[in-house]
Amino acid sequence: MAGRQVVDAPASESKLIDSFKMHVATIESANLEQLHALSVSVGWPLRSEDLQFLRDCGRGYVAHDDIGRLTGSAMWFPHADDFATIGMVITSPRLQSNGTARWLMEHVLWDCCGRNLRLNATRASRRLYHSLDFQPMRTIYQCQGIVRQADSTATTEQPPIRRLEGEDLAAVAELDAGAFGVSRTALIGKLFAQSVGYGLFRGGRLEAFALCRPFGRGHVIGPVVADSDADALAVIRRHVAAHENQFLRLDTPVETGPFATFLSQSGLAVFDTVLAMSRRGKGCADVVQGSNLYGLASHALG
Ligand SMILES: CC(C)(COP(=O)(O)OP(=O)(O)OC[C@H]1O[C@@H](n2cnc3c(N)ncnc32)[C@H](O)[C@@H]1OP(=O)(O)O)[C@@H](O)C(=O)NCCC(=O)NCCS
């Protein structure tokens, strides 16, 4: 296939980039402050805690120069034996367009050994992923801002919502698996532990949920799973109301309709977009994301 990157041998342990020789090391070995500085250098709002959480959930590599300065990173998150997401692909601005990201991605792809892969590509990274045989799937809208006029009361009758408790975790993980395309129970457990969640129950059965946790400049709502805009709205409404005059973010594939309108009316305007892309693993069945995934956990985690 045209443009296909065949990774049939491990990538080299070092690479000469301009006058710099870069070395690869595992992401765990990286200094957290340096990793934070790297993400800040490309304008990302992640906190050290967010980066540590990503390290706890995934694996990956950093590039560093001869005197230990961190110059790049790339991570992957193994949600299932045959499926992973990719994220934290960063090259220090002064060293971009020298092949660092491609080199780190070769390491990641080698480790992923044939898994189905999904990622959310920024504009700057599309060419890279396209040349590595990732195919475009859909646009993701990064909605964020200071919450205004948070409306906790809906005009129509509201479905039964309650705060999620520990005993709901299995049902949340199951509903998420149907929407995300594969079960990511371990990750949902970790997110659940640091989130406030609301669930919509009908006949005692969980039909929609939204988690919300501290992240970046404030809080992020996600994942959000629901079968309709009305249900999705019902489970995010209280999170939005709870963060009036605070910074809130939600990454969604939903562009129009009541859900999107509510977000923009609440102050969560579309700040940026990324392109969800996927790459089919050799011999793996396709992993299909459902239309009921209204909110992502994060760009890196899907
Ligand atoms: C995207 C990013 C990681 C690329 O890193 P890099 O080390 O410059 O990438 P490479 O040098 O390995 O280049 C890989 C390909 O991307 C292209 N590319 C690099 N930067 C680009 C840019 N700003 N715009 C368009 N294409 C770009 C290169 O030309 C190359 O394509 P080619 O092989 O067909 O010539 C880097 O620009 C970056 O850190 N951006 C900010 C963070 C970000 O958006 N990360 C992606 C998250 S999904």
Side-chain angles (χ1 to χ4, degrees):
M1 188 184 292
R4 172 133 198 143
Q5 174 78 14
V6 180
V7 180
D8 54 5
S12 58
E13 291 299 308
S14 67
K15 180 176 171 67
L16 193 63
I17 290 174
D18 196 8
S19 58
F20 290 84
K21 188 159 195 181
M22 302 275 207
H23 304 272
V24 69
T26 62
I27 193 101
E28 301 86 61
S29 68
N31 175 288
L32 190 60
E33 277 177 32
Q34 280 200 47
L35 199 56
H36 189 223
L38 180 68
S39 69
V40 169
S41 76
V42 292
W44 287 6
L46 301 176
R47 306 166 304 155
S48 295
E49 296 93 317
D50 302 324
L51 292 167
Q52 188 51 50
F53 182 76
L54 289 175
R55 285 210 293 196
D56 291 343
C57 297
R59 305 174 202 172
Y61 294 96
V62 288
H64 61 83
D65 66 11
D66 281 333
I67 57 169
R69 288 176 299 189
L70 219 61
T71 50
S73 65
M75 290 193 72
W76 63 288
F77 304 90
H79 300 291
D81 287 347
D82 62 353
F83 182 80
T85 55
I86 287 177
M88 276 299 291
V89 180
I90 301 174
T91 299
S92 175
R94 72 201 160 92
L95 292 172
Q96 287 176 5
S97 297
N98 284 305
T100 308
R102 176 179 301 282
W103 172 56
L104 290 173
M105 278 298 293
E106 285 167 5
H107 281 278
V108 163
L109 293 176
W110 177 254
D111 285 359
C112 288
C113 54
R115 281 177 157 91
N116 279 315
L117 299 171
R118 204 187 284 163
L119 54 79
N120 291 300
T122 57
R123 264 178 210 89
S125 63
R126 278 178 205 172
R127 185 161 151 173
L128 167 67
Y129 297 132
H130 187 71
S131 71
L132 293 172
D133 200 31
F134 283 82
Q135 307 298 323
M137 296 194 311
R138 63 181 69 80
T139 299
I140 301 293
Y141 300 88
Q142 180 179 339
C143 303
Q144 64 182 49
I146 304 294
V147 174
R148 59 166 189 260
Q149 297 168 350
D151 170 20
S152 59
T153 56
T155 45
T156 53
E157 196 185 328
Q158 285 301 288
I161 304 288
R162 71 161 166 80
R163 177 97 179 247
L164 293 169
E165 305 294 343
E167 71 209 22
D168 301 312
L169 178 55
V172 167
E174 193 186 331
L175 205 58
D176 176 80
F180 187 65
V182 300
S183 172
R184 47 178 181 171
T185 306
L187 173 66
I188 294 296
K190 287 191 170 105
L191 291 171
F192 201 85
Q194 51 179 259
S195 301
V196 169
Y198 289 106
L200 187 161
F201 293 81
R202 289 193 181 95
R205 192 183 147 81
L206 182 70
E207 294 205 342
F209 75 87
L211 304 185
C212 181
R213 68 185 193 281
F215 180 83
R217 293 174 58 191
H219 282 73
V220 65
I221 302 179
V224 182
V225 177
D227 279 333
S228 66
D229 275 31
D231 285 1
L233 274 174
V235 288
I236 69 160
R237 208 178 279 279
R238 290 190 199 183
H239 289 307
V240 173
H243 293 94
E244 189 160 11
N245 297 323
Q246 296 171 41
F247 185 88
L248 192 59
R249 169 173 172 175
L250 194 155
D251 297 282
T252 181
V254 179
E255 183 185 10
T256 55
F259 184 78
T261 303
F262 175 79
L263 290 180
S264 68
Q265 285 177 349
S266 302
L268 278 66
V270 175
F271 170 77
D272 202 357
T273 59
V274 288
L275 182 66
M277 302 181 83
S278 65
R279 185 176 121 143
R280 182 96 166 255
K282 250 191 207 148
C284 294
D286 210 2
V287 174
V288 182
Q289 185 174 302
S291 57
N292 51 345
L293 191 68
Y294 273 78
L296 271 52
S298 74
H299 282 172
L301 299 168

